[in-house]
């Protein structure tokens, strides 16, 4: 797929100070969900045994027992304590997984499998101070699609003191450099367990693969292992986003203007939520905002489109220094008449609960120093987090709850491989936009979207909002940006590599649709609106413009595919039991089929049914299906009418009807049906 140039019409590369590589291990995750973080279903444990643990699974040589971890046992150990090193390793791994629906738990010395009630979905990385003859670490396998809910990995921390001794000597023998090495390997092995293979693929605009987490061992120099914080590539980020999900579901920044003649000292947004709490996170606090992060006060309920929502007032009022882009001499915490200012935030509950109408922005009101509302309001749209319809269209809905007719003008959209940081969702002093991610790496979009130049957003109310829709792509026409069929070799790294894990033969990995996220920006205009003109020092009637910077996560569209074994003239019927959509497709000559390419739209968690019919040939008949967790398989010999049902132990294994007890003979017609959920 053709990618745009690094910054399309946007301004050039980020400054050297912003992008300089740091050897600090301190976390840079821009949001902290606190107690809400526990709602993330995927738990990543960093396990440091205090005694050799023979109960750890022996899936490869030297993996079990999981050896003890103590800083004094590391070859050429740095100064510091075991606790300090463990905490720095945690900072590295938690930053690497910051944006995913993965909770990286604090370091533990207890085997997570031995907990009284261990989490259902857990990825356990045991980190020892031992060395291996050739490895830094090894995971159980490349768990394509994250099919296995329980995974294990090992990191040989002592290997860094052997293989990277030159890079960890003298002044460079620091806790931070050891943490970057061991933490990077822990993130790498956990990535295998979440479905990532070794990859050195670099897309246009990306940095070199040696700065990424998932390249195979021999291609990763020690200088990069211990000298910088590595990150997931565009390709790997997309696969992870589809396998485990993203934390962020929506994010918005606004360029407002005060249309009043009086000075405003507060901005209050009325926000509706289905949640009993509302927690702003990753709020914009840069130089264009007059205020620190907002406060939240609950205020009863309000009905939106027939549903009762909890109502909150989100108020920016804590003053800080700032600089308006259109008036000199800005005053901390104050916005003068006709002065432009910028705010932005998103809410933890919407992200974790991941519903399309979780948060509704009903209104924005400017208040004076005494807390009284000023008469003229800046305009703000509300929006959902997008829906993927059965026909493949990804649709973003915007709504107007105000009594004024509005117009959407000059909107642009870009499909991104990684979510953009909130601090990059604004105009810079040159009037351009420079998107960068959580680790301040510049982002190159997969593609630009074609949006209407103008669209009406009619006046509305909470009962009947005025609505508009942007169609941001079609899954069945545009496809995925990342769509990888794994090779299925014995290993995905060369012999003697320093990280070795097998691929799953024929397994399919994709990114969300249209991408990991979609960034949009454009004007929300109230035509002929009364507002203050600071130059003329009088009220005038002209367009009142709010510039909106909006980002939503892509949808976890997961293809269901497979291959028929020992069946000729195979016909496959794929059905989404949630949407009632059904498609039919003839299997390819090699027996393979792909429900998504045949026209089926299936999202993570939806129930699907796939049925194959074919003539039995000389091979024992079976089918292998990917992309779904199978709850039930039914095999029927249509000639004899015999039928057997079973639940497979592993959904990705070949489904063998004969082994399950079905009698078959050559040229008999066999039907195999699977029911399950999209992984």
């Amino acid at each position: 797929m053709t990618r745009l140039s690094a910054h399309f019409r946007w301004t050039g590369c980020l400054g050297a100070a912003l992008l300089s590589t740091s050897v600090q291990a301190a976390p840079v995750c821009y949001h902290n969900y606190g107690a809400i973080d526990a709602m993330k279903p995927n738990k990543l444990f960093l396990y440091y045994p205090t005694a050799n643990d023979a109960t750890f699974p022996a899936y490869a040589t030297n993996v079990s027992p999981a050896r003890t971890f103590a800083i004094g046992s590391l070859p050429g150990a740095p100064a510091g304590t075991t606790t300090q090193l463990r905490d720095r390793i945690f900072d590295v791994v938690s930053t690497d997984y910051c944006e995913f629906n993965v909770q990286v738990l604090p370091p533990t010395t207890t085997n997570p499998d031995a907990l009284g009630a261990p989490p259902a979905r857990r990825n356990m990385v045991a980190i020892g101070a031992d060395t291996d003859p050739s490895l830094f670490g090894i995971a159980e396998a490349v768990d394509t699609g994250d099919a296995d809910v329980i995974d294990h990995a090992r990191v040989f921390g002592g290997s860094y003191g052997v293989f990277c001794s030159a890079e960890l000597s003298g002044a460079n023998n620091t806790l931070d450099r050891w943490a970057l090495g061991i933490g990077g390997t822990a993130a790498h092995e956990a990535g295998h367990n979440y479905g990532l293979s070794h990859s050195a693929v670099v897309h246009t605009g990306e940095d070199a693969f040696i700065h990424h987490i998932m390249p195979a061992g021999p291609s990763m120099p020690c200088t990069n292992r211990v000298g910088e914080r590595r990150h997931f590539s565009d390709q790997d980020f997309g696969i992870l986003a589809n396998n485990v999900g993203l934390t962020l579901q929506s994010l918005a920044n606004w360029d407002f203007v005060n249309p009043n003649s009086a000075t405003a000292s507060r901005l209050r947004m009325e926000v509706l939520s289905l949640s009993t709490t509302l927690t702003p996170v990753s709020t914009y606090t840069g130089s264009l905002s007059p205020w620190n992060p907002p406060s939240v006060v609950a205020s009863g309920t309000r009905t939106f489109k027939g549903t009762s929502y909890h109502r909150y007032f989100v108020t920016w009022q804590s003053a800080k220094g700032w600089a308006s882009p259109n008036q000199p001499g800005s005053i901390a915490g104050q916005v003068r008449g006709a002065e432009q200012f910028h705010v932005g935030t998103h809410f933890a509950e919407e992200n974790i609960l991941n519903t399309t109408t979780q948060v509704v922005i009903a209104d924005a009101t400017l208040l004076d120093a005494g807390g009284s509302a000023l008469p003229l309001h800046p305009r703000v749209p509300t929006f959902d987090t997008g829906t993927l319809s059965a026909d493949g269209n990804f649709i973003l809905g915007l709504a107007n709850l105000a009594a004024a007719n509005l117009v959407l003008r000059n909107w642009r959209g870009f499909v991104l491989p990684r979510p953009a940081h909130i601090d990059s969702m604004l105009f810079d002093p040159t009037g351009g936009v420079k998107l960068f991610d959580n680790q301040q790496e510049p982002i190159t979009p997969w593609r630009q979207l074609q949006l209407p130049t103008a669209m009406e957003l009619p006046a509305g109310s909470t009962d009947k909002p005025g609505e508009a829709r942007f169609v941001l792509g079609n899954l069945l026409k545009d496809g995925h940006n990342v769509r990888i069929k794994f090779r299925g070799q014995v290993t995905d790294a060369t012999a003697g590599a320093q990280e070795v894990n097998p691929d799953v033969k024929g397994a399919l990995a994709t990114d969300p649709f249209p991408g990991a996220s979609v960034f949009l920006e454009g004007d929300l205009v109230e035509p002929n609106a009364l507002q203050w003109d600071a130059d003329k020092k009088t009220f005038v009637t002209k367009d009142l413009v709010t510039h909106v910077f909006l980002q939503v996560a892509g949808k976890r569209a997961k293809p269901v595919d497979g291959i028929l074994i020992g069946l000729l003239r195979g016909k496959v019927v794929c059905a989404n039991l949630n949407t009632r959509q059904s498609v039919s497709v003839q299997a390819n000559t090699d027996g393979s089929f792909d429900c998504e390419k045949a026209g089926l739209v299936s999202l993570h968690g939806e129930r699907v049914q796939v049925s194959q019919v074919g003539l039995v040939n000389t091979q024992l008949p079976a089918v292998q299906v990917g992309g779904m967790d199978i709850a039930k398989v039914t095999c029927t010999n249509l000639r004899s009418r015999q039928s057997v049902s079973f639940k497979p132990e592993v959904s990705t294994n070949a489904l063998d009807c004969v082994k399950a007890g079905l009698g078959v003979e050559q040229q008999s017609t066999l039907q195999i049906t699977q029911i399950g959920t999209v992984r």
Side-chain angles (χ1 to χ4, degrees):
M1 183 173 293
T2 302
R3 299 195 62 180
L4 303 174
S5 59
H7 295 280
F8 22 106
R9 86 154 184 86
W10 302 2
T11 53
C13 294
L14 296 171
L18 181 63
L19 289 183
S20 60
T21 299
S22 171
V23 297
Q24 297 300 311
V28 295
C29 189
Y30 64 96
H31 52 223
N32 181 0
Y33 291 94
I36 298 174
D37 210 43
M39 298 173 64
K40 295 181 179 181
N42 302 287
K43 309 298 182 183
L44 176 52
F45 289 91
L46 303 178
Y47 167 42
Y48 298 88
T50 55
N52 293 338
D53 183 358
T55 68
F56 195 80
Y59 55 82
T61 303
N62 291 338
V63 164
S64 185
R67 301 291 180 176
T68 59
F69 183 86
I71 194 168
S73 300
L74 295 169
T81 68
T82 298
T83 298
Q84 289 173 331
L85 181 54
R86 289 191 316 212
D87 288 345
R88 282 166 168 79
I89 293 169
F90 168 79
D91 291 341
V92 171
V93 180
S94 60
T95 296
D96 291 336
Y97 285 91
C98 164
E99 294 166 293
F100 299 101
N101 214 7
V102 173
Q103 183 186 18
V104 182
L105 294 163
T108 180
T109 57
T110 300
N111 187 330
D113 286 333
L115 295 173
R121 296 193 65 87
R122 58 189 187 273
N123 189 348
M124 293 159 284
V125 182
I127 302 174
D130 53 330
T131 62
D132 182 90
S134 62
L135 303 178
F136 288 106
I138 185 168
E140 283 186 283
V142 176
D143 184 8
T144 306
D146 193 28
D148 296 330
V149 298
I150 300 173
D151 290 297
H152 301 82
R154 272 279 269 122
V155 172
F156 306 105
S159 291
Y160 274 93
V162 176
F163 300 129
C164 299
S165 58
E167 291 78 11
L168 292 171
S169 62
N172 288 328
N173 191 19
T174 65
L175 287 171
D176 281 331
R177 288 173 69 86
W178 277 86
L180 289 169
I182 295 173
T185 296
H188 175 107
E189 301 305 339
H192 283 315
N193 285 339
Y194 286 134
L196 297 182
S197 183
H198 286 153
S199 173
V201 174
V202 175
H203 290 121
T204 302
E206 276 196 277
D207 52 359
F209 71 84
I210 57 174
H211 305 299
H212 300 165
I213 290 173
M214 294 309 299
S219 59
M220 184 56 58
C222 280
T223 51
N224 298 94
R225 287 181 177 274
V226 303
E228 65 181 18
R229 185 189 300 282
R230 295 180 285 150
H231 59 91
F232 290 111
S233 69
D234 286 356
Q235 174 179 288
D236 292 335
F237 195 105
I239 294 172
L240 269 179
N242 223 18
N243 285 353
V244 301
L246 289 174
T247 299
L248 182 144
Q249 296 302 310
S250 72
L251 184 60
N253 277 7
W254 304 274
D255 277 339
F256 287 125
V257 62
N258 178 7
N260 300 277
S261 59
T263 295
S265 296
R266 310 176 196 176
L267 172 70
R268 183 182 68 198
M269 283 190 181
E270 181 183 358
V271 178
L272 311 180
S273 175
L274 295 176
S275 173
T276 56
T277 61
L278 191 70
T279 311
V281 287
S282 66
T283 301
Y284 174 77
T285 57
S287 63
L288 300 177
S289 175
W291 301 292
N292 291 306
S295 60
V296 178
V297 175
S299 182
T301 61
R302 189 173 181 185
T303 300
F304 175 69
K305 297 174 71 171
T307 299
S308 179
Y309 280 66
H310 299 281
R311 183 172 71 164
Y312 300 91
F313 288 118
V314 180
T315 305
W316 283 262
Q317 59 186 337
S318 174
K320 73 173 191 63
W322 72 296
S324 171
N326 75 325
Q327 291 189 28
S330 296
I331 304 168
Q334 298 184 27
V335 181
R336 296 162 293 182
E339 196 166 20
Q340 295 174 5
F341 63 100
H342 185 94
V343 296
T345 192
H346 72 287
F347 302 99
E349 288 79 4
E350 178 183 37
N351 293 336
I352 299 296
L353 296 179
N354 192 9
T355 58
T356 58
T357 56
Q358 184 66 28
V359 172
V360 177
I361 301 172
D363 191 22
T365 304
L366 291 166
L367 311 176
D368 64 18
S372 298
L374 300 180
L376 302 178
H377 293 218
R379 298 305 179 193
V380 59
T382 192
F383 53 91
D384 61 25
T385 57
T387 56
L388 188 60
S389 60
D391 63 3
N393 281 334
F394 181 76
I395 301 169
L396 180 71
L398 294 95
N400 176 17
L401 278 59
N405 289 315
L406 306 177
V407 179
L408 301 166
R409 288 184 187 163
N410 304 318
W411 280 69
R412 302 184 305 162
F414 301 90
V415 177
L416 305 183
R418 291 166 281 145
H421 193 288
I422 191 169
D423 288 348
S424 70
M425 294 172 53
L426 46 75
F427 290 128
D428 72 0
T430 70
V433 177
K434 299 180 294 189
L435 292 181
F436 54 84
D437 68 5
N438 170 53
Q439 298 194 42
Q440 300 187 342
E441 293 290 337
I443 297 174
T444 299
W446 289 115
R447 61 183 180 276
Q448 182 171 355
L449 301 171
Q450 299 300 315
L451 300 178
T453 56
M455 182 183 296
E456 293 184 357
L457 189 57
S461 65
T462 53
D463 292 326
K464 190 176 181 180
E467 296 179 333
R469 304 190 318 163
F470 285 135
V471 179
L472 304 181
N474 185 280
L475 171 65
L476 305 179
K477 295 178 181 177
D478 301 328
H480 295 272
N481 309 294
V482 178
R483 205 173 201 278
I484 300 172
K485 205 80 170 179
F486 285 119
R487 300 182 299 278
Q489 298 171 353
V490 175
T491 65
D492 63 2
T494 58
Q498 292 175 309
E499 282 119 353
V500 181
N501 287 100
D503 284 333
V504 178
K505 185 176 181 180
L508 182 63
T510 64
D511 64 341
F513 183 81
S517 71
V518 182
F519 172 75
L520 302 101
E521 55 98 6
D523 292 330
L524 178 71
V525 181
E526 181 183 355
N528 303 315
L530 183 67
Q531 58 193 286
W532 182 252
D533 188 311
D535 293 328
K536 297 179 180 179
K537 301 189 183 307
T538 187
F539 282 99
V540 298
T541 300
K542 62 179 182 178
D543 288 349
L544 177 63
V545 179
T546 296
H547 197 84
V548 181
F549 303 87
L550 175 62
Q551 188 174 187
V552 296
K555 296 303 177 185
R556 295 172 66 184
K558 307 294 286 289
V560 175
D561 69 335
I563 188 167
L564 304 180
I565 303 167
L567 292 173
L568 302 175
R569 303 176 193 171
K571 181 180 180 181
V572 183
V573 178
C574 311
N576 185 321
L577 302 180
N578 289 71
T579 64
R580 303 299 180 186
Q581 181 197 14
S582 179
V583 298
S584 298
V585 61
Q586 193 73 32
N588 298 318
T589 54
D590 63 355
S592 63
F593 62 90
D594 187 321
C595 294
E596 185 178 88
K597 285 192 173 181
L600 186 76
V601 176
S602 54
L603 296 175
H604 168 76
E606 290 183 332
R607 295 182 68 243
V608 292
Q609 176 177 295
V610 184
S611 183
Q612 305 88 13
V613 177
L615 292 175
V616 177
N617 68 0
T618 55
Q619 289 181 277
L620 289 176
V623 64
Q624 191 167 13
V625 179
M628 62 185 289
D629 291 321
I630 301 172
K632 182 180 180 181
V633 179
T634 301
C635 305
T636 304
N637 185 327
L638 298 181
R639 176 184 291 178
S640 67
R641 298 299 177 181
Q642 180 196 7
S643 181
V644 298
S645 297
F646 62 96
K647 179 178 177 13
E649 291 184 8
V650 180
S651 293
T652 53
N653 285 351
L655 306 174
D656 189 334
C657 296
V658 174
K659 185 178 180 180
L662 187 72
V664 298
E665 58 279 340
Q666 288 192 33
Q667 299 304 306
S668 60
T669 303
L670 180 63
Q671 181 180 49
I672 309 176
T673 301
Q674 308 88 46
I675 295 178
T677 56
V678 179
R679 187 174 303 127

